[in-house]
Amino acid sequence: MVADNDLAEAASMLAAAGKVAVLTGAGVSKESGLPTFREPQTGLWARYDPQKLASLEGFRHDPHLVWSWYMYRLGLVSQASPNAAHHAIAQLESLVPEVVVLTQNIDGLHQQAGSSRVEELHGSIRRFKCAADCQGAPTVIKLPPEALQSDRAPHCPHCDEFVRPDVVWFGETLPGDVIDRAFTAAATCNVMLVVGTSGVVQPAASLPFVARQYGADVIEVNPQRSEVTRYASIYLQGSAAEVLPALFAALQAQRAGAG
Ligand code: BJW
């Protein structure tokens, strides 16, 4: 349970901030029914091999296996709805002048909840591209609904190479424009709110560190301590769907009190 004084202090930081960057990871979508990656037993990497399923080498070795795994996950994502944490993050825009969401998630739930500025650091499971980017990076391919039901990877209509999800696998660089905007947001925000990430995957894991170096306060929300906790200004221990609405309510109360 989060202490009231920690919640109030975090709300004061947000109340004083002109610009807030919100870095999210898989934990923010857990209460929407989507699994995280690295939690013991329930995490995807406890059951599936990331080298086989989330690398270009894995895709080259068995494109159909990788395709069918992503179509299984697309099915989960399509049935999921934003939870109270996504909604609280979207509502922040009504109380803070500038909010940018930097998400490692590929599920699109922040946009569904109404966040207007979302940087998808690791791409989107809802978008597809030619694996050779034959028409320039990225060569986005629109697929018919039946391709999303198939366990066979489709072919690019331009060059016959396989089509893949437009996500960032291990060893691949993040989209240049997205990562540039994310580091700029980290260097210029007054507060970075870090929600539901283990903070082990680079370069996203550097963002809170950069924010701190440039003078921002870092507020972390996570039921477990993470790689971010040691340089967080405030650690709010708890689940995102419980803590973020409480934080939003505390911020709203401070704003009402000040007005
Ligand atoms: C809750 C909760 C609740 C639970 N509420 N919270 C420098 C140093 C070392 C290594 C590298 C480096 N630079 C690059 C690397 C290699 C690699 C890397 O970082 N490896 C580390 C694992 C060691 N990085 C890359 O390869 C990246 N590319 C790159 O840097 O290119 C340049 C380059 C290339 C080659 C060499 C050097 C440089 C690309 C990384 C791509 C990551 N892709 C994935 C898959 C995306 C598609 C898909 O979804 O399938 O992205 S891996 C996976 O991890 C996914 C996630 O976005 C990402 C982060 O995971 P996340 O979100 O933090 O989830 P978890 O499970 O780890 O944590 C969940 C948290 O939630 C936990 O803390 C829970 O406690 C918490 N939680 N319930 C709130 N209710």
Side-chain angles (χ1 to χ4, degrees):
M1 193 58 204
V2 174
D4 282 348
N5 56 335
D6 283 346
L7 211 53
E9 197 184 339
S12 299
M13 286 173 177
L14 290 169
K19 184 167 177 181
V20 173
V22 186
L23 173 66
T24 64
V28 79
S29 295
K30 188 168 172 185
E31 285 147 301
S32 294
L34 299 177
T36 62
F37 292 92
R38 294 176 183 79
E39 287 183 286
Q41 280 131 34
T42 58
L44 288 169
W45 297 158
R47 291 175 285 149
Y48 301 101
D49 181 350
Q51 278 311 314
K52 281 192 181 140
L53 295 167
S55 75
L56 189 58
E57 296 73 39
F59 184 72
R60 294 259 175 256
H61 179 71
D62 194 343
H64 306 302
L65 176 76
V66 175
W67 180 260
S68 47
W69 188 64
Y70 274 94
M71 292 310 102
Y72 154 70
R73 289 182 57 209
L74 180 59
L76 298 181
V77 164
S78 308
Q79 284 166 19
S81 303
N83 65 52
H86 297 103
H87 288 300
I89 290 168
Q91 285 174 320
L92 262 188
E93 292 182 21
S94 64
L95 296 178
V96 173
E98 206 180 331
V99 179
V100 57
V101 178
L102 314 173
T103 189
Q104 298 168 82
N105 300 343
I106 60 174
D107 55 33
L109 292 182
H110 287 298
Q111 294 92 326
Q112 269 188 39
S115 283
S116 60
R117 209 177 139 201
V118 182
E119 300 293 354
E120 294 181 311
L121 301 170
H122 294 162
S124 171
I125 196 170
R126 300 167 193 261
R127 209 169 46 234
F128 305 95
K129 65 179 183 180
C130 167
D133 274 337
C134 67
Q135 309 293 303
T139 299
V140 174
I141 308 288
K142 293 258 178 279
L143 291 174
E146 55 272 21
L148 309 182
Q149 306 299 327
S150 173
D151 57 6
R152 309 282 297 168
H155 288 271
C156 172
H158 307 293
C159 72
D160 212 36
E161 172 59 272
F162 285 114
V163 170
R164 55 169 281 183
D166 189 5
V167 299
V168 181
W169 286 327
F170 284 114
E172 295 187 315
T173 51
L174 281 63
D177 52 342
V178 174
I179 197 66
D180 283 354
R181 288 194 295 268
F183 274 100
T184 300
T188 56
C189 66
N190 308 109
V191 174
M192 180 174 277
L193 182 58
V194 182
V195 185
T197 180
S198 55
V200 297
V201 175
Q202 296 292 349
S206 299
L207 292 166
F209 186 70
V210 168
R212 203 65 222 253
Q213 276 191 319
Y214 279 83
D217 282 309
V218 172
I219 303 170
E220 185 187 26
V221 178
N222 197 316
Q224 306 292 332
R225 298 179 74 82
S226 75
E227 290 300 311
V228 177
T229 316
R230 67 195 135 97
Y231 50 89
S233 321
I234 300 190
Y235 169 47
L236 302 176
Q237 185 165 28
S239 90
E242 280 174 15
V243 174
L244 287 175
L247 181 57
F248 182 76
L251 175 58
Q252 228 172 3
Q254 286 196 10
R255 282 264 194 255

